[in-house]
Amino acid sequence: MSELLRREIKYLTGVGEARARLLEREVGVRTIEDILMRFPYRYIDRSRIFRINELDETMESTYVQLRCRVVGRSYVGDGAKKRFVVEVSDASGQAELLWFHGVKWIEKRVELNREYIIFGRPSIFKGRVSMVHPEIEPVEVVLSRKVESSFQGIYSTTEKLSQMISVKMMHTLVYNAWQLIASDTTAFQDPLPEDMRRRLGLITLREAIYNIHFPQSAERLRQAQYRLKFDELLGVQLTIQARRTSRQQRGGGFVFPRVGVAFNTFYRDKLPFALTKAQQRVIKEIRADMISGKQMNRLLQGDVGSGKTMVAFMSMLLAVDNGFQACIMAPTEILARQHYASMCRFAEGLDVRVGIITGSSKAKERRAVLEATASGEVNILVGTHALLEDRVQFANLGYVVIDEQHRFGVEQRAKLWTKNQQPPHILVMTATPIPRTLAMTLYGDLEVSVIDELPPGRQPIRTYHYFDSMRLRMFGFLRQEIAKGRQVYVVYPLIKESEKMDYKDLHDGFESMSRDFPLPQYRIAVCHGKMKPEDKDAAMAQFKSHQADILIATSVIEVGVDVPNATVMVIESAERFGLSQLHQLRGRVGRGGEQSYCILMSGDKLSKDGRARLEAMCATNDGFQLSELDLKLRGAGDIHGTQQSGDAFSLNIANLATDTQIMEVTREEALRILATDATLQRPENMLLRALRDKHRKRETIDFSDIS
Ligand code: ADP
Ligand code: MG
């Protein structure tokens, strides 16, 4: 590999020690290669100049260029609030530029009546356009500069980094890096043979790297993106397809031939309702896997409230009837306890023992359950991620169910897998469906089952979006519903980074609630992540048994909680939630026979995406439609957070959700390559091997094995 690519970034013209430290700390850039492998996330057409009156609210987060004359400059405010304000105008209107720091430097460079090119992100308030810390350069300077490309790449940055390295400077650094290696033929050698490139119409890797940073035309940019995505996805496919083959060769899954006493008794005498057709079908699909001799790897997708728990329970009985243990892992304590309660109820009168392990199990209780699990007395073990701990040992684990899989990381699931000599059958249940191609990529050769039907008698939930200014109407509505004997959830966002603040939000909310709904009249329970598990349980129990009319909670209640008498879900600051989370929360109501409602409260000012999410929620109850939209709005990486797609492969430019066409092509190419050289040992495949290993974060885990 090229020595120059490995050179430390601090030796690059324009960087130096301080910037190098910051680049490494903030965005992980340490070498010349690192900086060249960070691609722009968008491009600005630098030949385009906007008029001030063309700017509107929808452009607030985008970079634009203006050509303006300076018509005024002054200091405003004093002390810490002191800022430098420059008034500028073009033929269409006026705008205001603001600097809060670096003021001395900028002050010297801005002259009255001179014309400048201004580059930055506008904000618009009451029709006034302003920009904070824009780049500003005299028109003649900009015009006389030779530019590498009229598309300027914008690189992701951080608060700290952007203070030391501007958009333009980042661009210059990347250019310097490119110049450094431009004549080094050992840099970015092409891993794809020429005949393959020609056959597929791909440009070379070097052309791609150059054009991704400095597109020579829109078409060149498209080709560059295609080529770079192709390489990443080929690397992914080379990994997956090789694993898949080895897995198929290994084969071997437990066989559960018997449908025995537990299953039959439950089915005949205990089933509290008739199964839906979809539930029946899925149970049959699982049963077929369990007698196939192959280890089951199945993803069960079913919308919120579609009755996945019953499917889990009945399929666990199949394992139990064949002398095996089963376990179910839930993402939260509340949900694990709820599963435990329902499973104990279901198992009453059957010869099936159910146990529970969570982080807050008492020592004595825990010891008893651990012993009974190790000896095989516990047939079904319910738990949180505490199930993963090494001290949880099974006598004979044959079947693992993972509920709401997107909450678990790949590695955690890998751990469950190792709880037995021979891998157990695995069922992963999710209410957030993912497209099949994405699923295939993440899990290799998994099977997919779908519950596409809700239990009968459910009325669709009505969803409304209220701005904060309509709060009184919302309260009025809650009063009506409570008067009818119904119960209400009020949920506040809880985002990890700012738990303190959210906690405060919840408390303020609670106080204003108590003012508007004077206690004795309404009974309010509170439940949030900071509470002790016992207190959480107590609050939930209070609500469940209708000793409280209102449950004020953070999103800890997001998944699984089941209180059929609750008919209203109020979601505060709904714009701060993702679509799948909103849909999950909404799924807490509409579980009984009564008409249910979801009220999305939001601030008056919404981003484009925020608005799109709330509109989508009001428009449909269909989780599949919503998750498709979510994919479009956010891309696959985000949908599963860093917990899933991000865990398995670290991708730079390709998107597992949307680049399905490229994925198809690369899958075929990967199979073709592996057919003659399965382990990529041949010298001519050396660069392909590097490509394969590049995006794989961990060598040791076989991802197709674990779900
Ligand atoms: P989810 O798929 O979201 O996990 P649950 O398993 O919690 O859904 O089921 C939601 C509710 O529907 C529960 O109260 C459950 O008892 C009930 N339920 C499940 N299946 C049926 C059915 N076939 N008929 C009627 N009610 C059902
Ligand atoms: Mg569930």
Side-chain angles (χ1 to χ4, degrees):
M1 192 181 117
S2 156
E3 284 303 314
L4 287 174
L5 280 183
R6 256 183 261 166
R7 183 178 288 184
E8 282 179 53
I9 195 79
K10 66 177 169 201
Y11 301 117
L12 183 67
T13 317
V15 180
E17 294 279 354
R19 287 196 178 117
R21 259 198 311 276
L22 203 61
L23 277 167
E24 171 151 20
R25 200 174 56 219
E26 295 291 307
V27 288
V29 167
R30 214 178 49 77
T31 64
I32 301 296
E33 180 177 23
D34 291 342
I35 199 168
L36 287 169
M37 288 308 287
R38 279 185 89 231
F39 307 144
Y41 68 93
R42 55 183 303 257
Y43 298 85
I44 295 159
D45 183 354
R46 296 282 327 222
S47 61
R48 168 95 200 256
I49 307 265
F50 283 81
R51 290 194 317 269
I52 291 173
N53 71 355
E54 281 180 283
L55 305 180
D56 63 36
E57 275 88 352
T58 63
M59 297 160 78
E60 291 209 343
S61 52
T62 59
Y63 284 95
V64 297
Q65 253 181 154
L66 302 172
R67 176 175 177 154
C68 294
R69 197 171 290 285
V70 170
V71 297
R73 19 169 296 162
S74 55
Y75 282 98
V76 176
D78 45 21
K81 291 231 174 91
K82 186 167 165 177
R83 56 199 185 272
F84 184 54
V85 180
V86 174
E87 294 284 337
V88 297
S89 72
D90 65 9
S92 78
Q94 287 229 350
E96 202 174 67
L97 315 179
L98 297 136
W99 282 267
F100 296 94
H101 43 77
V103 169
K104 284 243 161 59
W105 192 88
I106 208 75
E107 191 193 347
K108 274 189 231 134
R109 278 161 184 78
V110 176
E111 291 168 32
L112 263 182
N113 285 323
R114 197 164 172 192
E115 231 189 336
Y116 292 89
I117 299 289
I118 294 147
F119 174 75
R121 289 191 280 200
S123 50
I124 290 132
F125 185 68
K126 295 198 171 142
R128 293 277 299 158
V129 175
S130 63
M131 272 189 202
V132 175
H133 293 177
E135 289 174 17
I136 177 164
E137 281 184 298
V139 168
E140 62 283 3
V141 173
V142 175
L143 293 182
S144 66
R145 185 184 302 132
K146 181 188 155 297
V147 286
E148 198 61 21
S149 160
S150 70
F151 294 93
Q152 176 171 340
I154 304 290
Y155 299 86
S156 63
T157 185
T158 64
E159 183 88 36
K160 280 207 184 101
L161 192 62
S162 66
Q163 279 171 19
M164 232 168 147
I165 302 181
S166 67
V167 171
K168 201 175 75 208
M169 188 186 298
M170 183 64 88
H171 198 252
T172 307
L173 295 182
V174 176
Y175 184 67
N176 293 347
W178 174 260
Q179 285 295 61
L180 184 70
I181 58 113
S183 54
D184 175 6
T185 53
T186 62
F188 298 116
Q189 279 178 326
D190 210 306
L192 308 184
E194 204 188 322
D195 60 327
M196 177 171 167
R197 269 197 331 260
R198 199 164 320 122
R199 181 162 49 80
L200 299 168
L202 298 167
I203 63 174
T204 66
L205 180 58
R206 286 180 70 92
E207 284 175 294
I209 298 273
Y210 177 71
N211 277 283
I212 200 82
H213 294 295
F214 314 104
Q216 297 304 295
S217 67
E219 175 60 11
R220 283 314 247 180
L221 175 58
R222 199 195 55 75
Q223 290 172 328
Q225 286 168 331
Y226 190 94
R227 168 65 209 255
L228 293 166
K229 288 177 176 188
F230 186 94
D231 282 22
E232 281 189 357
L233 293 177
L234 184 64
V236 168
Q237 288 296 343
L238 285 169
T239 307
I240 293 172
Q241 298 309 332
R243 285 172 179 165
R244 179 179 179 168
T245 317
S246 77
R247 204 169 100 84
Q248 275 166 353
Q249 283 160 358
R250 235 177 326 149
F254 294 122
V255 181
F256 300 163
R258 225 182 352 256
V259 178
V261 178
F263 187 94
N264 282 329
T265 312
F266 181 76
Y267 188 70
R268 252 196 345 256
D269 308 334
K270 306 249 155 209
L271 198 58
F273 37 67
L275 295 176
T276 62
K277 285 217 172 56
Q279 285 171 317
Q280 288 173 15
R281 188 185 61 236
V282 172
I283 292 172
K284 278 194 193 129
E285 286 166 353
I286 293 171
R287 158 120 176 97
D289 282 356
M290 288 175 162
I291 54 177
S292 73
K294 281 205 290 195
Q295 181 250 343
M296 175 173 82
N297 229 356
R298 191 170 274 282
L299 179 68
L300 171 56
Q301 306 188 337
D303 209 342
V304 181
S306 62
K308 296 185 290 294
T309 317
M310 185 50 79
V311 170
F313 179 72
M314 291 180 68
S315 54
M316 295 203 311
L317 291 183
L318 289 172
V320 173
D321 271 341
N322 286 274
F324 286 90
Q325 290 169 298
C327 73
I328 176 165
M329 179 159 82
T332 63
E333 173 103 20
I334 289 179
L335 192 53
R337 296 214 169 269
Q338 189 176 288
H339 277 332
Y340 177 67
S342 0
M343 298 208 171
C344 288
R345 192 157 29 85
F346 295 156
E348 243 169 60
L350 305 175
D351 189 17
V352 172
R353 178 158 167 205
V354 185
I356 181 166
I357 284 277
T358 74
S360 64
S361 300
K362 300 242 161 49
K364 202 171 132 199
E365 208 182 306
R366 177 196 307 255
R367 207 168 326 115
V369 173
L370 286 178
E371 268 168 31
T373 303
S375 70
E377 280 165 68
V378 163
N379 306 103
I380 293 178
L381 186 62
V382 181
T384 56
H385 50 269
L387 281 176
L388 300 171
E389 289 166 19
D390 290 331
R391 55 186 166 179
V392 181
Q393 294 292 333
F394 293 86
N396 195 7
L397 180 64
Y399 181 36
V400 173
V401 180
I402 301 173
D403 196 12
E404 309 295 351
Q405 49 101 29
H406 58 288
R407 295 296 194 86
F408 290 106
V410 168
E411 245 174 323
Q412 291 179 313
R413 285 182 271 139
K415 252 191 136 158
L416 259 183
W417 175 264
T418 59
K419 296 253 172 215
N420 215 15
Q421 290 257 304
Q422 191 175 341
H425 295 300
I426 307 238
L427 181 72
V428 175
M429 308 200 293
T430 176
T432 315
I434 51 179
R436 201 182 157 75
T437 41
L438 175 57
M440 294 283 291
T441 307
L442 294 174
Y443 303 109
D445 57 341
L446 95 170
E447 306 296 328
V448 180
S449 288
V450 180
I451 305 188
D452 49 6
E453 176 184 11
L454 292 179
R458 298 270 171 84
Q459 297 183 48
I461 300 162
R462 296 198 190 136
T463 303
Y464 302 99
H465 170 207
Y466 284 7
F467 288 107
D468 281 338
S469 48
M470 296 148 81
R471 184 161 293 276
L472 286 180
R473 248 172 82 182
M474 181 267 283
F475 283 145
F477 180 69
L478 298 193
R479 252 187 221 110
Q480 275 177 25
E481 282 293 302
I482 294 172
K484 285 194 232 158
R486 308 279 173 274
Q487 289 164 279
V488 172
Y489 292 102
V490 181
V491 174
Y492 289 83
L494 179 108
I495 297 166
K496 278 221 176 69
E497 286 78 21
S498 55
E499 256 176 49
K500 261 206 196 109
M501 196 183 89
D502 296 319
Y503 182 62
K504 181 176 169 305
D505 277 359
L506 183 138
H507 269 255
D508 291 353
F510 177 70
E511 268 168 25
S512 91
M513 243 333 137
S514 319
R515 259 196 319 276
D516 288 279
F517 290 99
L519 294 164
Q521 197 182 348
Y522 298 109
R523 298 156 305 169
I524 300 181
V526 180
C527 182
H528 59 75
K530 285 265 164 75
M531 283 161 56
K532 287 204 204 91
E534 307 92 89
D535 296 343
K536 264 193 266 184
D537 284 347
M540 289 308 300
Q542 215 184 339
F543 190 63
K544 207 162 175 158
S545 61
H546 203 163
Q547 287 162 327
D549 305 299
I550 302 176
L551 178 69
I552 299 195
T554 53
S555 44
V556 289
I557 61 152
E558 182 190 336
V559 283
V561 173
D562 194 25
V563 181
N565 189 48
T567 56
V568 188
M569 166 62 66
V570 178
I571 304 176
E572 293 283 352
S573 306
E575 72 273 25
R576 286 170 61 188
F577 289 93
L579 253 186
S580 69
Q581 244 185 328
L582 289 173
H583 182 60
Q584 283 275 356
L585 285 170
R586 176 168 62 185
R588 298 312 107 217
V589 296
R591 298 187 153 239
E594 303 297 333
Q595 177 63 54
S596 291
Y597 305 87
C598 174
I599 300 178
L600 307 169
M601 301 300 299
S602 84
D604 293 335
K605 220 169 165 184
L606 287 174
S607 70
K608 225 161 69 186
D609 279 5
R611 183 180 299 273
R613 286 198 294 273
L614 301 187
E615 279 171 6
M617 283 292 291
C618 295
T620 181
N621 271 305
D622 182 334
F624 284 71
Q625 267 183 37
L626 289 172
S627 71
E628 246 163 54
L629 182 73
D630 206 17
L631 270 176
K632 277 205 202 108
L633 290 176
R634 306 202 298 167
D638 263 346
I639 288 260
H640 299 277
T642 48
Q643 294 160 324
Q644 197 171 63
S645 45
D647 255 6
F649 302 100
S650 59
L651 298 182
N652 202 356
I653 182 169
N655 182 325
L656 293 176
T658 50
D659 293 322
T660 48
Q661 188 263 335
I662 310 179
M663 195 120 77
E664 297 293 331
V665 180
T666 54
R667 179 183 303 136
E668 276 178 32
E669 292 302 320
L671 287 171
R672 210 177 46 74
I673 295 163
L674 294 171
T676 56
D677 185 10
T679 49
L680 300 179
Q681 294 304 316
R682 293 194 190 166
E684 70 267 27
N685 288 336
M686 200 181 74
L687 290 172
L688 283 174
R689 195 164 77 226
L691 193 68
R692 177 194 69 186
D693 296 339
K694 190 165 176 181
H695 301 288
R696 182 153 63 165
K697 279 189 178 161
R698 299 178 194 88
E699 287 286 347
T700 47
I701 302 172
D702 181 342
F703 294 100
S704 65
D705 269 355
I706 48 181
S707 41

